[in-house]
């Protein structure tokens, strides 16, 4: 149970943390302590903290998963004909990382977990044998394998608790004991690249906690930063925004610069520091560690060409150091900087309702690209396909940024799912758009010679998810006017070719629809959490003056041949 019932106690320290001297070692003022109480009460009011019952349920779920991993390791040993003694004693272990291990997870949040297995267990075993054991012996209902992710993962739901489970195999080990040291650099020498990425989550989490002056202050400030990022639509690594690790490192660095400050002061200084940060200078919590004996690649823009393209580098502290924000694009970086400026102003008088207001993404733009990933091959196939498409959405942003007329093309970091019954794939559009303010009917396929059998009358079930990219256009440098029409076939077709080139894409049952859509035609679901749908614009008579408040509100139309 990690919920904070009282504001953290501030114990003053003169110890140096991080790579520079602190900006201030002053202790908290009375006003800071009172504001911290208000901040924590506000976080509680949002439902951010889990209940004691939910905390106990999470612990029970992790216990079940650990038992499943032990059974899985022994089952693989039996299938591979290992000696009876090894089959009896061999075992694996799970570790947690991310927000749960940091102690700042919110109610309903996923648990990031790592399965560490001995040398006889392969990654193929992890994605084939373990799901069967979870489903048959431990009654786990929802299991989605994403083996092609940057860090391959199994997505699970156990008793309503969602978990992301990654895998690492340790050569030279016949069993993983409870005392296995995941923080030892020597252990890394035998791991392959994907396993190094997997264990880096837990190693990084533990290093962050070791490098902050006051863990309770860090916890409270990080909770506020995460709520702000999620509410303002800035949370989602695959879309080019911050992830949990990046939020933690950025917050921890502010804690190092103000080691004796109260959480409210750290939170407000978060925005003060980063609106002035000289990007692309990196943020890191300690000097980057080199290890000539292991020789692993660490983040170094002087040696690695790919590292020079990172716009907003936030570097993980555990060896081998990596950039946790490598997906940030020009559009998402500009949006995050603008949101930090906004938050900086709102922290002057602590207007919490405005500071943590839901994103106005769908109000800010009038034109969007809608990317729909769909499948008629069942839920498991849909989960794999939609997960792959989601992980590639940022590429459409990058393709659009290359177009001369595009100013920004940030993605909204969340997808919207639907299940539609109909005759063909285009029926999914009825759940993802409005026409004339109403949901369009599901199209019906007619036949000149209708078949009267029951089978012909049965509708197909289509699973789909829609993602959105907001379009802001540039004004003409000479006239200051917006272009009346944009031709964006090239970036959209490049994106479709790239995504549909996935080796596991089955065109017989999977499909991708990419089309432009105006705000007035967006489905109601995009306005459920945020500001309400604006009243549709009434077309003015010809000759009337037209007021354009910003580039996002331009009346440019988008032309593509992609739907």
């Amino acid at each position: 149970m990690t919920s904070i019932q009282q504001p953290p106690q501030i114990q003053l320290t003169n110890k140096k943390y991080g790579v520079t001297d602190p900006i201030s070692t002053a202790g908290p003022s009375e006003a800071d302590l009172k504001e911290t109480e208000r901040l924590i009460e506000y976080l509680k009011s949002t439902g951010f903290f889990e209940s004691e019952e939910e905390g106990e349920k999470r612990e029970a779920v992790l216990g079940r998963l650990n038992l499943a991993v032990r059974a899985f390791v022994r089952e693989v040993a039996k299938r591979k004909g290992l000696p009876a003694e090894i089959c009896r004693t061999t075992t694996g272990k799970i570790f947690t990382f991310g927000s749960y291990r940091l102690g700042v997870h919110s109610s309903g949040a996923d648990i990031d977990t790592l399965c560490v297995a001995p040398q006889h267990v392969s990654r193929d075993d992890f994605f084939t044998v373990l799901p069967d054991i979870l489903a048959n012996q431990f009654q786990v209902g929802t299991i989605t394998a994403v083996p092609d992710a940057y860090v391959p993962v199994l997505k699970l739901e156990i008793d309503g608790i969602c978990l992301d489970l990654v895998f690492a195999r340790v050569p030279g080990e016949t069993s993983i004991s409870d005392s296995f040291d995941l923080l030892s650099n020597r252990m890394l020498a035998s791991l392959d690249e994907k396993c190094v990425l997997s264990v880096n989550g837990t190693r990084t989490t533990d290093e962050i906690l070791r490098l902050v002056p006051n863990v309770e202050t860090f916890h409270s400030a990080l909770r506020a930063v995460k709520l702000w990022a999620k509410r303002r639509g800035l949370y989602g690594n695959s879309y080019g925004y911050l992830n949990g690790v990046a939020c933690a490192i950025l917050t921890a660095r502010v804690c190092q610069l103000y080691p004796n400050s109260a959480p409210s002061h750290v939170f407000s200084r978060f925005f003060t520091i980063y609106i002035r940060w000289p990007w692309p200078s990196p943020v890191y919590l300690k000097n980057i560690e080199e290890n000539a004996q292991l020789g692993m690649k660490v983040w170094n823009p002087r040696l690695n060409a790919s590292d020079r393209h990172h716009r907003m580098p936030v570097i993980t502290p555990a060896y081998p150091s990596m950039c946790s924000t490598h997906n940030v694009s020009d559009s998402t970086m500009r949006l995050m900087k603008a949101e930090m400026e906004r938050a900086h102003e709102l922290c002057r008088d602590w207007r919490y309702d405005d500071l943590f207001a839901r994103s106005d993404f769908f109000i800010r733009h009038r034109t969007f690209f809608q990317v729909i990933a769909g499948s008629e091959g069942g839920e498991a196939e849909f989960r794999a396909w939609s997960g792959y498409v989601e992980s590639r959405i940022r590429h459409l942003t990058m393709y659009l940024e290359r177009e001369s007329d595009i100013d920004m093309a940030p993605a909204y970091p969340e997808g919207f799912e639907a299940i539609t019954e109909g005759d063909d794939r285009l029926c999914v559009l009825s759940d993802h758009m409005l026409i004339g303010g109403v949901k369009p009917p599901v199209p019906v396929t007619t036949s000149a010679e209708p078949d009267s059998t029951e089978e012909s009358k049965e509708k197909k079930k289509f699973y789909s998810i829609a993602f959105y990219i907001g379009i802001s256009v540039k004004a003409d440098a000479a006239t200051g006017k917006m272009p009346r029409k944009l031709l964006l076939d090239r970036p959209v077709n490049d994106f479709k070719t790239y995504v549909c080139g996935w080796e596991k894409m089955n065109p017989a049952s999977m499909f991708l629809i990419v089309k432009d859509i105006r705000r007035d035609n967006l489905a109601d679901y995009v306005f459920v959490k945020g500001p309400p749908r604006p009243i549709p614009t009434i077309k003015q008579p010809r000759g009337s003056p037209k007021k354009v408040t910003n580039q996002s509100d331009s009346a440019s139309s988008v032309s593509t041949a992609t739907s």
Side-chain angles (χ1 to χ4, degrees), residues 50-288:
E50 68 178 9
S51 65
E52 185 173 352
E53 180 183 1
E54 185 179 354
E56 292 173 351
K57 188 176 183 181
R58 285 177 184 272
E59 292 177 6
V61 164
L62 288 171
R64 285 179 60 190
L65 180 59
N66 202 44
L67 290 175
V69 165
R70 290 170 182 258
F72 155 63
V73 169
R74 290 168 183 159
E75 175 63 24
V76 172
K78 292 176 184 177
R79 293 188 184 189
K80 295 186 176 180
L82 298 185
E85 180 63 17
I86 291 180
C87 293
R88 186 180 67 83
T89 60
T90 187
T91 187
K93 184 181 179 183
I94 66 166
F95 296 81
T96 59
F97 61 99
S99 297
Y100 184 82
R101 191 175 185 90
L102 284 171
V104 295
H105 59 286
S106 58
S107 177
D110 296 355
I111 305 178
D112 294 317
T113 46
L114 164 68
C115 166
V116 179
Q119 61 183 1
H120 66 269
V121 180
S122 70
R123 183 170 285 107
D124 285 341
D125 296 328
F126 175 74
F127 282 110
T128 55
V129 180
L130 180 56
D132 287 343
I133 290 177
L134 288 168
N136 298 326
Q137 296 183 30
F138 291 86
Q139 290 74 51
V140 177
T142 304
I143 306 172
T144 303
V146 191
D148 299 300
Y150 181 65
V151 181
V153 61
L154 276 176
K155 293 181 174 291
L156 316 172
E157 184 177 331
I158 305 176
D159 287 344
I161 303 295
C162 295
L163 304 98
D164 286 347
L165 181 64
V166 298
F167 173 79
R169 168 182 174 268
V170 186
E173 297 286 342
T174 58
S175 184
I176 306 300
S177 68
D178 287 339
S179 61
F180 182 78
D181 185 8
L182 201 62
L183 300 181
S184 168
N185 283 352
R186 288 181 298 177
M187 178 269 303
L188 296 174
S190 60
L191 303 187
D192 65 26
E193 182 181 359
K194 292 297 184 183
C195 290
V196 170
L197 291 172
S198 294
V199 302
N200 202 43
T202 300
R203 288 164 56 84
T204 292
T205 301
D206 288 355
E207 273 290 275
I208 291 171
L209 291 173
R210 188 180 68 82
L211 292 167
V212 294
N214 184 306
V215 172
E216 288 191 7
T217 294
F218 168 70
H219 279 168
S220 298
L222 179 54
R223 283 188 173 102
V225 168
K226 288 188 66 175
L227 181 63
W228 166 79
K230 290 181 176 182
R231 287 281 184 90
R232 299 306 297 167
L234 308 174
Y235 195 88
N237 177 61
S238 63
Y239 297 90
Y241 298 104
L242 302 175
N243 59 7
V245 171
C247 286
I249 295 170
L250 290 170
T251 305
R253 183 64 185 127
V254 181
C255 288
Q256 291 179 338
L257 294 172
Y258 297 90
N260 298 318
S261 289
S264 61
H265 191 256
V266 171
F267 179 57
S268 66
R269 289 299 171 185
F270 179 94
F271 304 110
T272 305
I273 293 294
Y274 294 120
I275 62 175
R276 300 170 182 169
W277 195 267
W279 305 109
S281 294
V283 173
Y284 44 80
L285 301 179
K286 68 175 190 178
N287 289 319
I288 294 176

Side-chain angles (χ1 to χ4, degrees), residues 6-10 27-43 220 261-265 349-350 352:
Q6 299 293 334
Q9 298 297 310
I10 311 298
S29 68
E30 191 65 29
D32 289 336
L33 294 175
K34 288 183 178 179
E35 199 56 57
T36 293
E37 292 182 6
R38 286 190 63 233
L39 178 61
I40 291 175
E41 286 303 315
Y42 185 86
L43 293 175
S220 298
S261 289
S264 61
H265 191 256
D349 53 5
W350 295 106
Y352 289 133

Side-chain angles (χ1 to χ4, degrees), residues 286-417:
K286 68 175 190 178
N287 289 319
I288 294 176
E289 180 181 352
E290 300 282 354
N291 190 315
Q293 186 176 4
L294 291 176
M296 292 185 172
K297 178 183 175 183
V298 298
W299 188 85
N300 189 333
R302 289 176 295 179
L303 297 179
N304 307 319
S306 60
D307 294 344
R308 296 173 202 147
H309 300 294
H310 296 160
R311 296 170 172 83
M312 197 177 183
V314 179
I315 310 304
T316 58
Y319 180 83
S321 293
M322 306 173 188
C323 180
S324 63
T325 48
H326 60 278
N327 288 335
V328 171
S329 69
D330 179 66
S331 294
T332 55
M333 180 176 178
R334 288 170 59 191
L335 181 56
M336 285 190 283
K337 288 172 70 174
E339 286 288 347
M340 287 180 181
E341 290 275 6
R342 174 185 179 275
H344 174 66
E345 291 299 318
L346 292 172
C347 279
R348 294 181 187 276
D349 53 5
W350 295 106
R351 286 180 280 158
Y352 289 133
D353 287 339
D354 292 334
L355 181 59
F356 295 106
R358 299 281 186 180
S359 171
D360 59 350
F361 182 88
F362 293 102
I363 304 298
R364 196 183 311 139
H365 303 279
R366 285 182 61 184
T367 304
F368 304 82
F369 270 113
Q370 183 186 61
V371 179
I372 300 177
S375 171
E376 56 185 273
E379 185 174 4
E381 180 185 84
F382 166 69
R383 294 295 167 200
W385 174 230
S386 63
Y388 179 79
V389 173
E390 181 179 27
S391 71
R392 299 300 188 270
I393 287 294
R394 68 181 185 279
H395 290 271
L396 180 53
T397 287
M398 291 188 289
Y399 292 153
L400 290 168
E401 286 176 345
R402 296 171 187 166
E403 298 297 308
S404 59
D405 288 327
I406 297 297
D407 182 45
M408 290 176 64
Y412 186 72
E414 182 182 344
F416 299 87
E417 295 186 6

Side-chain angles (χ1 to χ4, degrees), residues 401 403-407 472-476 481-483 551:
E401 286 176 345
E403 298 297 308
S404 59
D405 288 327
I406 297 297
D407 182 45
S472 297
V473 300
K474 292 179 182 176
D476 184 89
K481 295 181 179 180
M482 302 294 174
Q551 291 183 357

Side-chain angles (χ1 to χ4, degrees), residues 416-448:
F416 299 87
E417 295 186 6
I419 300 175
T420 313
E421 293 188 347
D423 295 324
D424 62 48
R425 297 173 176 183
L426 291 181
C427 72
V428 301
L429 294 176
S430 65
D431 281 319
H432 293 295
M433 64 183 299
L434 299 181
I435 297 177
V438 297
K439 181 178 174 180
V442 175
V444 178
T445 301
T446 59
S447 172

